Amino acid sequence: MTSSFRIINGRVYDPANGVDGVVRDVCIQDGRIVAAAAPGARTIDAAGMVVMPGGVDIHCHIAGPKVNLARKVQPEDHRRDVHLRTRFTRSGTGGTVPSTFATGYRYAALGYTAAMEAAVTPLGARHTHEELHDTPVIDKGFYVLVGNNVLLYRLLQEGRREEFRHALAWWLNAAKAYAPKLVNPGGDEMWKGKGQGNITDLDDTIASFDLTPRKVIGAFIEAANDLGLPHPVHIHCNNLGHSGNVETTLETMRIADGRRAHITHVQFHSYGSVAGKSHDNPTSRARDIAEFVNTHPNISADVGAVMFGRATIMTADAPAVYMLRQFGGAKWVNADTEHESGCGIIPFTYQDRSYTNALQWAIGLELFLLSDDPWRMVFSTDHPNGGSFTSYPRLIRLLMDREYRKEQMAKVNQKALEHSGLRDCQDREYSLYEIAIVTRAGPARLLGLASKGHLGVGADADVAIYDDDPDREKMFRTPRYLLKDGLPIIEDHEFRADHEGRLFHVAPEYDSGIERVIEPFFDDYYSIQFRNYPVDDRYLHRAELVPTVQQAAEAARP
Ligand SMILES: [Zn+2]
C-alpha cells in the first residue's frame, strides 16, 4: 500500500491553521502531513468534495467494564443490529453500545479518527486497555475516575495537598490514563451510606469526611494544573439531571477561578426550575451557561446533546441512574467498584413528545447556537447517554440547516420549546468551518493533542473527505475517503483496509515516596495486591505518551 498521497482540488477546512474552504493540496508522506508529496505519490482528486481533519470525540463511552455491562444488559441489540464482516473488517454487533470492532469501524465510517472513553475506574483500567486495543482504526485514550476515591479524600481531609498531588499523578500513571475525571464528587460516599443519600449542594458535608464537593473540586483543579496535564480535570458536575441544577454548574465553574477546567455534557447541567421549585419540570438556563463559558476563557465544555430515539444511560453517577430508573423502563443496573466509583446503566428512549426530553434536546441546540467560541463549546452527545455517536450527522444538520431545524422544532413538545430559548436563537447556522472546529480542531486543542485535529505540516495524516452534499446529514453520514495515519482505510465509501490506532496516555512526575502512603491502604482495603494494581507496559499497543507542560519544556531544552 502506497504511503504517499496528494489530495487535490478539494475544499479544505482546517481551522487550526485558519484555512476556511480554500481549494488547496493536502500532501501526505509516511503517515504525516507534509508540504509537498514525493514524486510518484498517488493523487486523490477531491473535486466537489470537502477535506477536513479526522473527527475527534472528546467524550464518549466505548470501552471498559461498565460499557461491557451495558452490552450484556441489551442482548436484543445484538440480534437487531448485526455488523457483518467484510474482506477487510471484522464482524460485531451494534445498537447503542456497539461491540469493540463495530465501534471502531462505525466511528471511522463517519470520518472520525479519535475518541476518548470518558469514565474508567482505575480497577477497570486493564480491561479498558484490552478493549481499546480491540477497537480498530481510531486513536483513543481514557479518563480515570478519581473524584470519589477514598484514599485521595483522606489525604485532602488531612490537608496533605502535596501528597494528594503525588497520589493523583501516581494513579494516572498506574492506570495509564489520559486525564482525571470527576463524577458527582462526594456523591458515592453519600450513596453508599445510610439512606441512599446524594450531594445536593457544593457545600454539603461528604458523609463521614470533613470535606465538601467545593473543596474536592478545587483541589483537583489545582493539582491537574500544577501537574501540567495536557487536558485539565474533566468534570461531571453534581446534581446531574435535576431541575435547578444550573446554580451548581455555574458555581462549579466559578471554583476554577481562572484555572483551566473542562465541564462535560453541560446540557445535562443547564436546568432551571419553575418559580424555585426543585422537583418540578425543568426549564432551560442554557443562556446563563453559554454566557459564562463565553466570558471565561479558562473554561471549556462539551455539550452532551440529546437526540431523539434509543440511547443507553451509563454513568459513574449511580444516584442519578437510580433517580432515572422510574422513567427508564424495564432494566437497570447499579454497581460499586470498591473505593473508587459507582456505576449505573439504563437503556433509555428519548421521545420528542415528552416535555423533559424535548427540553433537553432544545437545550443542547441552544448551547451550540449561543456559543461565541466554538473552540471551547465542543461537540458531543455523551455517547451513548444523550444518543449514539451514529446520530452525529443529524446533529450536524440541525446546527447547519435552520429550515430543517424549524421542521424538527414543529414536531416536538411545544410546551418544552416555550420553556427553552431555542426560538430566540433559531436564525444561526453553523458553517462548515465551525463544524470543523467543534468536531475536530476544538476537541484536539482542548485535549492538548498537537498532531491531531488539523492538517498542518507535521500533523498525523488523519483526513476525512466528504462529498459536498447540501443535505449535511447525508454528507457527514459517510465520507468518500478516510485516511488514517496516511493509509487509505475507506475509499468510495467502502472499507479497503483495517488498522490499529494509537493509545494516548500521560505519565506526570510524582515523588515515589507516595507509594509508601498508598500501599498500606491497599493491604487494608483493596481486593487486589498493590503490586498487581498498576497496568504494565504489555497492555500498551501503539501507545503515545503525551507530555505534561513540564516534560515538554524539558524535552525542548537544548
Ligand atoms: Zn459521559
Side-chain angles (χ1 to χ4, degrees):
M1 211 182 313
T2 172
S3 64
S4 186
F5 290 89
R6 220 171 104 230
I7 302 164
I8 59 167
N9 297 329
R11 269 201 300 141
V12 177
Y13 291 86
D14 180 15
N17 294 300
V19 180
D20 183 5
V22 179
V23 176
R24 57 151 66 178
D25 293 358
V26 174
C27 299
I28 294 169
Q29 181 75 47
D30 300 327
R32 302 266 172 184
I33 305 290
V34 292
R42 193 182 141 193
T43 298
I44 294 178
D45 186 353
M49 299 179 209
V50 163
V51 180
M52 288 188 180
V56 178
D57 197 339
I58 198 170
H59 187 110
C60 59
H61 301 275
I62 54 171
K66 79 174 181 315
V67 175
N68 224 18
L69 193 51
R71 291 181 185 123
K72 281 191 215 166
V73 170
Q74 303 174 84
E76 65 277 15
D77 267 11
H78 309 173
R79 202 166 48 228
R80 198 159 28 205
D81 186 3
V82 175
H83 188 97
L84 295 175
R85 61 171 291 187
T86 69
R87 209 177 122 205
F88 301 102
T89 60
R90 304 176 70 170
S91 64
T93 58
T96 55
V97 194
S99 60
T100 51
F101 300 151
T103 295
Y105 299 135
R106 288 183 180 193
Y107 261 112
L110 297 177
Y112 269 72
T113 51
M116 302 302 272
E117 157 59 50
V120 173
T121 57
L123 269 169
R126 193 172 276 104
H127 174 176
T128 305
H129 280 288
E130 287 176 327
E131 283 200 17
L132 289 177
H133 175 42
D134 232 24
T135 304
V137 187
I138 58 173
D139 299 327
K140 54 258 163 170
F142 67 83
Y143 312 146
V144 68
L145 292 158
V146 285
N148 282 288
N149 183 301
V150 172
L151 179 60
L152 290 172
Y153 275 15
R154 286 191 181 181
L155 294 173
L156 268 187
Q157 173 174 258
E158 291 163 19
R160 296 155 74 181
R161 291 293 272 261
E162 212 169 310
E163 288 167 281
F164 170 80
R165 191 183 70 241
H166 290 309
L168 173 60
W170 181 86
W171 248 294
L172 287 163
N173 276 275
K176 296 200 159 47
Y178 194 73
K181 170 82 181 292
L182 311 186
V183 172
N184 186 23
D188 283 15
E189 284 307 301
M190 311 291 279
W191 175 245
K192 285 190 280 193
K194 286 185 211 129
Q196 297 174 328
N198 195 4
I199 292 293
T200 59
D201 189 278
L202 287 168
D203 296 310
D204 284 352
T205 300
I206 300 172
S208 55
F209 290 90
D210 182 17
L211 285 174
T212 61
R214 183 187 299 279
K215 263 193 201 168
V216 169
I217 294 164
F220 275 104
I221 290 173
E222 179 182 87
N225 276 271
D226 289 350
L227 290 171
L229 300 176
H231 183 59
V233 62
H234 198 94
I235 304 172
H236 158 145
C237 295
N238 300 102
N239 283 330
L240 175 139
H242 288 271
S243 296
N245 64 11
V246 64
E247 301 303 339
T248 304
T249 311
L250 291 168
E251 194 55 24
T252 301
M253 295 194 283
R254 285 187 199 109
I255 295 172
D257 193 22
R259 296 165 299 188
R260 278 192 72 196
H262 183 86
I263 308 295
T264 190
H265 41 67
V266 71
Q267 176 278 127
F268 289 107
H269 304 272
S270 301
Y271 306 153
S273 52
V274 178
K277 282 194 245 168
S278 65
H279 294 296
D280 215 327
N281 274 342
T283 59
S284 171
R285 293 282 299 277
R287 188 167 287 275
D288 303 78
I289 294 291
E291 253 171 45
F292 192 98
V293 177
N294 285 341
T295 52
H296 291 79
N298 61 310
I299 300 290
S300 58
D302 61 271
V303 169
V306 152
M307 299 297 283
F308 298 120
R310 298 182 66 240
T312 301
I313 311 285
M314 62 163 84
T315 173
D317 194 338
V321 165
Y322 180 71
M323 174 187 78
L324 272 171
R325 87 200 185 290
Q326 54 187 310
F327 313 109
K331 310 183 208 182
W332 69 290
V333 179
N334 255 119
D336 272 322
T337 305
E338 304 200 11
H339 311 282
E340 298 188 334
S341 181
C343 161
I345 293 159
I346 302 183
F348 197 85
T349 301
Y350 292 99
Q351 299 172 40
D352 53 12
R353 297 286 163 191
S354 144
Y355 173 88
T356 303
N357 297 168
L359 186 86
Q360 293 176 306
W361 176 83
I363 292 175
L365 295 176
E366 271 187 88
L367 288 164
F368 280 116
L369 298 172
L370 294 168
S371 163
D372 290 344
D373 186 354
W375 291 93
R376 291 186 294 108
M377 180 68 83
V378 300
F379 200 90
S380 75
T381 61
D382 188 13
H383 160 86
N385 283 283
S388 162
F389 66 82
T390 55
S391 66
Y392 291 177
R394 181 166 306 143
L395 180 52
I396 289 173
R397 185 172 181 200
L398 283 165
L399 297 178
M400 293 193 73
D401 181 345
R402 70 179 158 231
E403 292 311 317
Y404 173 69
R405 190 165 63 228
K406 280 177 193 165
E407 282 167 28
Q408 301 306 307
M409 284 166 67
K411 293 180 188 166
V412 311
N413 183 303
Q414 295 300 300
K415 197 165 159 238
L417 276 194
E418 279 160 33
H419 282 112
S420 84
L422 187 55
R423 288 196 180 113
D424 302 330
C425 51
Q426 64 179 336
D427 285 341
R428 182 169 175 191
E429 287 182 333
Y430 267 54
S431 63
L432 280 172
Y433 189 72
E434 288 173 311
I435 291 295
I437 296 172
V438 294
T439 60
R440 295 142 152 86
R445 184 177 286 180
L446 296 178
L447 288 165
L449 292 172
S451 60
K452 297 287 158 195
H454 73 100
L455 298 174
V457 169
D460 291 337
D462 301 345
V463 187
I465 306 175
Y466 300 95
D467 293 314
D468 191 358
D469 193 311
D471 179 341
R472 299 308 191 189
E473 179 176 352
K474 211 169 134 205
M475 168 175 167
F476 283 99
R477 174 74 53 205
T478 162
R480 181 79 167 265
Y481 295 92
L482 181 77
L483 290 98
K484 177 78 190 78
D485 295 317
L487 301 172
I489 305 299
I490 293 175
E491 291 191 57
D492 289 326
H493 308 292
E494 282 182 12
F495 276 88
R496 297 292 167 86
D498 207 342
H499 184 63
E500 172 158 19
R502 286 161 220 261
L503 182 280
F504 295 117
H505 69 110
V506 295
E509 317 286 343
Y510 61 92
D511 175 356
S512 62
I514 196 63
E515 293 181 4
R516 289 195 295 277
V517 175
I518 299 172
E519 185 168 1
F521 184 80
F522 270 76
D523 295 342
D524 288 345
Y525 296 109
Y526 265 93
S527 65
I528 179 171
Q529 296 235 341
F530 180 71
R531 67 170 179 279
N532 293 332
Y533 183 80
V535 175
D536 71 51
D537 288 347
R538 284 172 303 172
Y539 286 85
L540 298 183
H541 305 273
R542 287 208 74 206
E544 184 171 321
L545 196 147
V546 178
T548 61
V549 171
Q550 295 87 329
Q551 288 162 341
E554 184 69 33
R557 207 165 289 158

